[in-house]
Amino acid sequence: MARILLASGFTVAVAGAVGRWFLIRTGAWEKLTRWDRPVAAFGVGAAWLSLAVFALCVAQLVYAPVLVGLGVVCLWAGLRARGGEAAREAATSRVYWWFLPVAVAYGGLYLVHALAPEISPDGSGYHLGLVARYWRGHGFSRITTHMYAMLSQGTEMLFLFAFALGRHAAAKMVHFAFLVATVGGLLALGRRFGIPAAAATGAAFYAVSPVVGVDGTSAYNDCALAFVLFLMVYLLLVGAEELWPAIGVLAGFAFAIKYTAFLALPLALAWLWRRGWKAWWRVGLMAALFAVPWLVKNAVVVGNPVAPFFNSVFENPHVHVSFERLYAMFMRHYGGLAEKNWTDYLRFPWEVAVSGGKLQGLLGPLFLGAPLGLVALGDKLGRRVWVAALLLALPWMTNIGTRFLIPSLVWLALAMGMAIWRMPRVAAGVAAGVLVAGHAVGSWPEAIEKWNKQQPWRLAPAAPWRAALRLESEERYLQRVLPGYAVARLIEEKVPPGKRVFSPDGVSEAYTSREVLVSYQCARCEVLMDDLLTPVLEDWGPVRVVRFDWNPRELRSVRLVQTGSDRREMWSMHEVLLFAGRQYVVPQPSWKIRARPNPWDGARALDGDPATRWRSWWPLYPGMQYQIDFPGPLRLSALEVHCSADQNQMQMRLEAQDTLGRWLPLAAQMRQAERDAPRMEMKRLATWDLKRAGVDYILTDLGGQGMNLIGPYLAKDPGAWGLRLVGEYGPMRLYEIRE
């Protein structure tokens, strides 16, 4: 435990020292109160430390001595810098009896969970999985098979700094520090603007929220983003010109933490619109310094600066447009919510505040009373607080998970606190005490277990204090509470170093050093999953034959043009066969294939393998093309397309280029027929394709649900697939692909 505290404490201290140095150098230090200073220094310094670790990752210099050396230099620079007197506060300090017990109780509860080994789904998955991967590789590598590696990872850079010294729990503690800093920031805001009681009430409302508690004590990034956006808006409220560089740093860092913070810079610029171009220039330049490196990294690695999104604009072979659209749709309609019936939106307040099962987290029943916070609109500060709350809630529409409301929740909680304290002082004190106490009691993990049966994402009812103090070993704790840990260790034990594993669903990447390709995390992964499902799904095999016959003639190119349209179907072809009379023309390496869209997989329709297919990976639209160019004129008389039956709206037109270079519709007789696909042969061919792609092992779940549909089929007859069972844990099966 000492190592965890030292590593996370060192990371926070280094961030604070860098921020202190920057604020002093830019003249912002004198504009901050003594309560503002540590909060602002940590937030601004975290951005600079994250950028420094990014640079080390690019330079492949992520080693413990290098990080320690960087930290020591930063501490020395921060301590050596000298600033002037602090700005005056509008309110003296006051302690409210209802706040301290809650702070002590929840502070202890959260600290225990933050110190315990990481067990959260995304934290033990890609957040720390990627951090561990960067640590092993001493920096970035060319990762094109992991969509989460394409996202901006500003918080993960701080996790990496702490992980190098204290591993997984140290990274969690860094995220917990952002939650603590948000509470401190709210209290500082209250003192500066003369609303200490309202700010303390809002801080309690925010910090006690169940989704904030579980997120802030896990290796996620939502509470970090909430703090950075809070601090940016807070400095905008202060309004001093010397704070503009810090505001720019925070706006850029917010985007570096999460794409959903794309509104941070426009919000800052709009807030400063009366200050002229000087303010815009200083804020914009600083923001770009922190946001652009992530865009450049993606542009270099995957050819799309904003991957894994906007792939229809920045076409690339690493993320399919169909996946992007399906992913975006799912993020907007968890569990089918509001997908077909707009009245589902009326259920959202109850879902996010009380139920939480479908949206993976709850704010607490207290926030059903959020409209009461509108009373705060009666003064200027209250109106600005509501503007921040509403604008920072807008990105939630792109992902309706409850935790995506956390950045807005900070300001919503403050607005509710301000509304309460507009009442007479005694009445406000009683109301605040009752509401905070009720919120705290109702949000305690054991209490939630009694009144909420939806199983939302929340802290475990039994606090893992033995694991936090390491009285229970990390290994034993993880084996007991995280099923994915045992699977990760199974992979570590059975899969030799350097070998790849393919899995339909995600694994606890943070606890294995083996590379696991997950079926939905990249274009190539989707193709491999398609290979495995083709032999077992009735409509996915090459069961339909479309044949074009024409009088023999010399041709330089042929192309199939799609004329059908359907937003739910994709054009696909297992095989395109050319004939000269009755003679099959064997494809040659000199043939050039042009496909639109998805030109990268064009050869899969000419490889002679019935298990593979070229797919558009776009919804069916007129104008799609599949073209074959020959090095010289070729005498042809027929073309056959072997395709699946899952594309009922497919309509193809055949065109050809003659010896004079003219493109003309080819007068051909088209016939369609159905046939039986070679299912048994295709099973072995499918796993061979995985082998050719560098995959050596397959991990599946016998449950057969969701992405693991293939699991029962593999388990029924592994030999037919060319597989050998090498390990199992519960319903999980690990197979080796035989040569």
Side-chain angles (χ1 to χ4, degrees), residues 83-334:
E85 293 293 324
R88 284 190 170 188
E89 301 168 355
T92 58
S93 62
R94 179 185 289 268
V95 176
Y96 293 88
W97 64 270
W98 42 259
F99 182 77
L100 289 178
V102 172
V104 171
Y106 272 84
L109 174 71
Y110 289 172
L111 181 62
V112 166
H113 281 276
L115 283 170
E118 178 59 283
I119 60 171
S120 66
D122 292 352
S124 65
Y126 67 88
H127 282 299
L128 292 189
L130 289 170
V131 165
R133 191 165 176 174
Y134 300 151
W135 170 244
R136 291 191 299 270
H138 308 297
F140 295 137
S141 58
R142 187 178 177 82
I143 303 175
T144 61
T145 56
H146 201 312
M147 62 168 284
Y148 296 111
M150 303 172 195
L151 299 172
S152 55
Q153 300 166 64
T155 310
E156 284 79 358
M157 296 296 96
L158 300 174
F159 290 171
L160 178 56
F161 192 94
F163 184 93
L165 306 176
R167 297 301 183 265
H168 305 76
K172 290 177 62 182
M173 285 291 292
V174 170
H175 195 220
F176 177 54
F178 282 98
L179 171 55
V180 175
T182 307
V183 173
L186 282 165
L187 297 179
L189 181 149
R191 292 171 63 88
R192 176 181 275 273
F193 291 101
I195 54 168
T201 304
F205 287 170
Y206 170 74
V208 169
S209 174
V211 74
V212 172
V214 67
D215 189 285
T217 56
S218 303
Y220 278 56
N221 56 17
D222 303 283
C223 287
L225 177 61
F227 169 71
V228 170
L229 290 172
F230 163 79
L231 184 57
M232 184 195 78
V233 175
Y234 180 24
L235 297 184
L236 286 168
L237 288 171
V238 173
E241 181 177 340
E242 292 82 357
L243 297 175
W244 293 349
I247 291 168
V249 168
L250 295 167
F253 186 43
F255 181 83
I257 290 174
K258 209 163 194 172
Y259 280 171
T260 52
F262 66 93
L263 287 177
L265 181 58
L267 171 60
L269 296 179
W271 206 297
L272 296 171
W273 72 275
R274 290 185 177 179
R275 302 300 184 98
W277 288 103
K278 182 181 178 181
W280 280 40
W281 179 82
R282 296 178 71 180
V283 171
L285 184 63
M286 277 295 179
L289 181 62
F290 293 87
V292 169
W294 294 101
L295 302 179
V296 172
K297 170 181 172 286
N298 271 348
V300 171
V301 175
V302 297
N304 177 2
V306 287
F309 306 109
F310 292 97
N311 297 285
S312 59
V313 178
F314 304 99
E315 293 187 50
N316 64 89
H318 307 298
V319 182
H320 290 140
V321 170
S322 58
F323 166 77
E324 176 192 340
R325 294 181 178 181
L326 183 64
Y327 181 80
M329 184 275 293
F330 176 77
M331 292 298 103
R332 294 193 301 269
H333 305 284
Y334 278 39

Side-chain angles (χ1 to χ4, degrees), residues 22 61 80 141 143 181 268 337 394 448 455 482 523 548 670 713:
F22 178 80
L61 289 175
R80 187 172 177 270
S141 58
I143 303 175
L337 279 175
L394 290 178
I448 295 176
Q455 298 298 309
L482 181 62
F548 297 86
M670 186 180 73
Y713 292 100

Side-chain angles (χ1 to χ4, degrees), residues 549-564:
D549 289 284
W550 62 88
N551 294 326
R553 60 187 301 180
E554 300 281 335
L555 301 175
R556 298 185 63 90
S557 303
V558 294
R559 70 182 175 203
L560 291 161
V561 180
Q562 182 60 234
T563 60

Side-chain angles (χ1 to χ4, degrees), residues 474-523:
E474 184 170 332
E475 176 86 13
R476 183 174 179 182
Y477 173 75
L478 290 171
Q479 288 277 8
R480 181 167 59 85
V481 302
L482 181 62
Y485 177 76
V487 177
R489 301 318 298 172
L490 174 67
I491 294 173
E492 195 74 9
E493 177 186 347
K494 299 295 184 181
V495 178
K499 299 295 185 180
R500 274 179 166 178
V501 179
F502 178 81
S503 174
D505 215 342
V507 300
S508 297
E509 299 174 45
Y511 297 112
T512 178
S513 62
R514 309 301 186 254
E515 183 180 0
V516 180
L517 303 185
V518 181
S519 63
Y520 56 85
Q521 288 185 357
C522 70

